[in-house]
């Protein structure tokens, strides 16, 4: 028997747009899930803004700590929470409930839904950051980063690193609960070691060093350097890039579709 | 095979998991436009066989051709023409019925209007219902709709009426018949014998990974040599010896005042004709017809799984 005339087409741009819009709707319907990316950063800005006297600090290049420390910390935190905790829980649920398996018997590769979820998560992160910055700007006169272009670049790099780690969390989590648990543990490890709960100087040297090169610490410091205008240093950029690549490759190898 | 070339050919398919043989040299061919059933006990290898046909599982050995395509090498092309309804394939909880169909429609080059499919499947009123809020029957109808939205040439339906109430089950059967009438070949996996008997042109019985029998439902029942029973009450005495002497009859007994005749072939007709010859009027003639259940038991040595259980 000879092969019949069967089209080879993979889904086109329309399918991609629909898939991304659909993922967006699903994420928006998960109202509780929006508190962290949209609500938390604004809350942090407001609480810290109200407590700030805007006194310049020399080691922050003459900027108040709100600008050079709190804002970068908030940005890095939003991306980390969305990328490492929220996104993997969606993907783990998709695997657990057979959504990925169902897609695998259509012309759409299940990887499409992963990409769509990353896009939607990224939009959430960006929205959360923009909201927080608008509040910071209007209510507390937070300045724009002195190296604005570098700040955008660093933001993208942090997102790449965090989303790769999130993909890895999704890849190794057998259930939705375990993905949230693993995601939170990873997030808090990054956050605590990176200086999220206060300066790293209180940690043992080797832990402080590790924290400075893990994605949260490296990202926050690099963003802070964009605000003060000194610019990120090479080690931070390399650390973020290496994390993105390693976690990305590992998740691609380990990801199970069903 | 009605002259046309088969649309699915499976040749000596083998698949093991670890040391356990799931499918052992299974071969069959599905003709264009037929409803081909696969029945078998839980864990018999039905689902594994079909997953190999769908290209989501790699066989250890054997050859599979679906519309001339190789399920693994020609995955992308096969996906455009093979509609699949999975036993466990699900949608995100918050996805709505209409959104799901529109999304799935966009994956296929050719397809059915989602609105039309909604109407045909009685889902129009549920268009804005989230997947998690659907009843079992509605979710099942949606899964059928998703299997058909790409206008497939072959539809694979896995345990499609499990969990449905009898009315919903009958409605679904009618739907499958409509699908076939529209020219789609249907591969149906089921453990409901009644479903296979009612819908399938041919049925493969899979047992312990092997193809135990393959025939029309009637053929399977006849081949199993299952005894039939005719029960009747007679208005007067009749000659039991002459009745027992008929070629079709293997035994005559009396239970609670009822004559019970066991035998094979066209038993009811033979008994009736003999009674007429004897001038006896029989009332309440009932034929306990052998069913696919009996054929299944004869082939596998086991009763089919009761309603509601599945792999």
């Amino acid at each position: 028997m000879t092969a019949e005339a069967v089209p080879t087409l993979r889904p086109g741009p329309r399918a991609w747009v629909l898939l991304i819009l659909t993922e967006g709707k699903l994420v928006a319907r998960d109202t509780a899930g929006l508190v962290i990316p949209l609500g938390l950063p604004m809350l942090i800005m407001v609480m810290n803004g109200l407590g700030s006297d805007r006194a310049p600090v020399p080691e922050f290049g003459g900027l108040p700590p709100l600008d050079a420390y709190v804002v970068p910390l908030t940005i890095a935190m939003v991306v980390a929470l969305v990328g490492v905790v929220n996104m993997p829980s969606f993907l783990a649920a998709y695997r657990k409930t057979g959504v990925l398996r169902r897609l695998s018997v259509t012309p759409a590769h299940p990887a499409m839904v992963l990409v769509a979820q990353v896009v939607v998560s990224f939009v959430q992160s960006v929205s959360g950051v923009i909201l927080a910055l608008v509040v910071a700007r209007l209510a507390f006169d937070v300045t724009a980063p002195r190296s604005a272009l570098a700040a955008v670049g660093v933001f993208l790099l942090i997102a790449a690193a965090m989303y790769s780690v999130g993909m890895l969390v999704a890849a190794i989590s057998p259930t939705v609960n375990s993905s949230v648990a693993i995601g939170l543990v990873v997030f808090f490890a990054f956050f605590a070691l990176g200086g999220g709960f206060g300066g790293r100087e209180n940690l043992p040297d080797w832990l402080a060093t590790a924290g400075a090169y893990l994605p949260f610490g490296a990202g926050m410091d690099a963003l802070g350097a964009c605000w003060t205008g000194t610019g990120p240093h090479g080690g931070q950029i390399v650390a973020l890039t290496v994390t993105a690549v390693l976690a990305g490759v590992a998740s691609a190898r380990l990801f199970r579709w069903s | 095979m009605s002259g046309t070339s088969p649309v699915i050919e499976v040749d000596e398919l083998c698949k093991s998991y670890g040391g356990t043989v799931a499918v052992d040299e299974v071969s069959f061919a599905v003709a264009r436009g037929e409803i081909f059933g696969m029945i078998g006990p839980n864990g018999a290898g039905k689902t594994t066989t079909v997953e190999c046909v769908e290209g989501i599982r790699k066989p250890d050995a054997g050859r599979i051709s679906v519309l001339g395509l190789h399920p693994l090498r020609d995955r992308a092309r096969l996906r455009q023409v093979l509609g699949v309804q999975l036993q466990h394939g699900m949608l995100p909880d918050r996805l709505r019925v209409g959104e799901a169909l529109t999304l799935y429609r966009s994956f296929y080059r050719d397809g059915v209007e989602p609105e039309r499919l909604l109407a045909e499947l009685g889902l129009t009123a549920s268009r804005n219902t989230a997947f998690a809020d659907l009843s079992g029957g509605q979710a099942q109808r949606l899964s059928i709709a998703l299997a058909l939205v790409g206008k497939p040439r072959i539809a694979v339906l896995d345990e499609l009426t499990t969990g449905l109430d009898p009315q919903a089950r009958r409605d679904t059967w009618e739907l499958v018949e409509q699908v076939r009438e529209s020219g789609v070949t249907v591969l149906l996996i089921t453990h409901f014998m009644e479903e296979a008997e009612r819908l399938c042109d041919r049925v493969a019985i899979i047992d312990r990974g092997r193809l135990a029998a393959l025939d029309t439902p009637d053929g399977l029942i006849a081949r199993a040599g299952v005894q039939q029973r005719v029960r009747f009450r007679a208005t007067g005495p009749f000659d039991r010896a002459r009745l027992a002497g008929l070629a079709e009859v293997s035994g005559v007994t009396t239970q609670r005042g009822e004559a019970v005749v066991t035998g094979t072939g066209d038993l009811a007709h033979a008994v009736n004709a003999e009674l007429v010859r004897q001038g006896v009027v029989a009332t309440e003639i009932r034929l306990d017809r052998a069913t696919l259940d009996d054929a299944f038991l004869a082939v596998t040595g086991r009763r089919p799984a009761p309603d509601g259980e599945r792999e």
Side-chain angles (χ1 to χ4, degrees), chain A residues 114-127:
Chain A
L114 267 57
V115 174
Q117 185 58 228
V118 168
V119 170
V120 171
S121 289
F122 185 69
V123 171
Q124 283 182 82
S125 297
V126 171
S127 311

Side-chain angles (χ1 to χ4, degrees), chain A residues 1 4-9 11 15 18-19 22 25-26 29 97-99 101-108, chain B residues 6 9 32 51 56 65 67-68 77 79-80 84 90-92 94-96 99 104 106-109 146 153:
Chain A
M1 154 168 104
E4 302 185 17
V6 172
T8 52
L9 281 188
L18 259 175
L19 194 58
T22 306
K25 282 187 206 165
L26 295 177
R29 280 173 201 160
T97 56
V99 171
R101 195 175 147 73
R102 182 65 189 82
L103 277 177
S104 73
V105 288
T106 72
Chain B
E9 282 178 294
R32 187 180 305 273
E51 283 174 348
I56 54 179
S65 167
L67 294 165
R77 293 167 76 193
R79 295 280 172 271
Q80 291 283 354
V84 176
M90 300 284 272
L91 296 169
R94 291 185 182 84
L95 190 62
R96 293 172 187 163
E99 291 169 349
Y104 271 61
S106 76
F107 297 155
Y108 296 90
R109 195 173 83 154
L146 292 178
R153 295 184 207 173

Side-chain angles (χ1 to χ4, degrees), chain A:
Chain A
M1 154 168 104
T2 53
E4 302 185 17
V6 172
T8 52
L9 281 188
R10 280 280 186 188
R14 188 181 135 73
W16 277 103
V17 170
L18 259 175
L19 194 58
I20 290 167
L21 285 178
T22 306
E23 285 306 305
K25 282 187 206 165
L26 295 177
V27 167
R29 280 173 201 160
D30 177 25
T31 323
L34 294 179
V35 171
I36 283 184
L38 302 183
L40 189 65
M42 280 203 291
L43 182 70
I44 294 175
M45 288 321 307
V46 170
M47 297 316 289
N48 283 284
L50 292 175
S52 161
D53 55 6
R54 301 216 51 78
V57 174
E59 60 255 44
F60 288 144
L63 288 174
L66 187 66
D67 302 34
Y69 179 71
V70 176
V71 169
L73 177 143
T74 308
I75 293 174
M77 190 174 74
V78 172
V79 182
L81 274 172
V82 174
V84 179
V85 185
N86 278 22
M87 185 188 70
S89 76
F90 262 85
L91 296 181
Y94 283 1
R95 176 171 53 226
K96 190 72 183 169
T97 56
V99 171
L100 299 180
R101 195 175 147 73
R102 182 65 189 82
L103 277 177
S104 73
V105 288
T106 72
H109 194 279
M112 283 176 73
V113 85
L114 267 57
V115 174
Q117 185 58 228
V118 168
V119 170
V120 171
S121 289
F122 185 69
V123 171
Q124 283 182 82
S125 297
V126 171
S127 311
V129 166
I130 288 176
L131 270 177
L133 288 179
V134 167
V135 169
R137 176 77 204 152
L138 297 182
F140 308 110
D141 279 335
V142 167
T143 55
R146 287 174 181 155
S147 315
L149 215 56
V152 172
V154 168
F155 175 76
L156 294 177
L157 208 48
I158 298 173
M162 293 301 181
Y163 285 37
S164 289
V165 171
M167 247 347 143
L168 187 55
V169 172
I172 62 173
S173 310
T175 64
V176 183
N177 271 341
S178 66
S179 86
V180 175
I182 296 172
L184 280 173
V185 167
V186 171
F187 168 77
F188 279 118
F190 284 177
F191 190 71
L193 297 179
F197 291 120
R200 287 193 294 268
E201 58 276 6
N202 301 325
L203 296 170
D205 274 353
W206 64 276
L207 268 183
T209 309
Y213 290 100
L214 285 173
F216 184 82
M220 183 178 80
D221 291 354
L223 271 182
C226 295
W227 246 269
T228 57
T230 56
H233 70 73
Q236 291 158 349
I237 301 300
V238 169
L240 289 170
T241 310
V242 167
T243 306
V245 171
L246 284 186
V249 169
S251 61
R253 298 222 163 163
L254 296 174
F255 206 92
R256 292 169 301 113
W257 300 105
S258 59

Side-chain angles (χ1 to χ4, degrees), chain B residues 120-199:
Chain B
E120 280 176 10
L121 285 154
L123 286 169
T124 307
S126 326
R127 182 194 294 131
N128 292 319
T129 307
F131 179 68
D133 299 331
L134 293 177
S135 72
Q138 290 170 327
Q140 203 67 295
R141 290 207 296 276
L142 176 58
S143 76
I144 297 169
L146 292 178
L148 299 178
V149 72
K151 222 184 219 176
R153 295 184 207 173
I154 302 172
V156 182
L157 309 174
D158 193 349
E159 297 291 1
L160 111 139
T161 62
T162 298
L164 297 190
D165 61 55
Q167 184 54 48
R169 186 169 295 159
R170 285 199 174 74
D171 292 347
T172 309
W173 290 346
E174 266 172 36
L175 189 75
V176 173
E177 281 168 340
Q178 285 167 24
V179 168
R180 185 258 291 279
E181 271 156 33
S182 71
V184 179
T185 305
V186 177
L187 181 55
L188 182 79
I189 307 173
T190 185
H191 67 271
F192 292 128
M193 300 300 130
E194 194 192 348
E195 179 167 298
E197 203 173 333
R198 151 89 193 263
L199 283 178

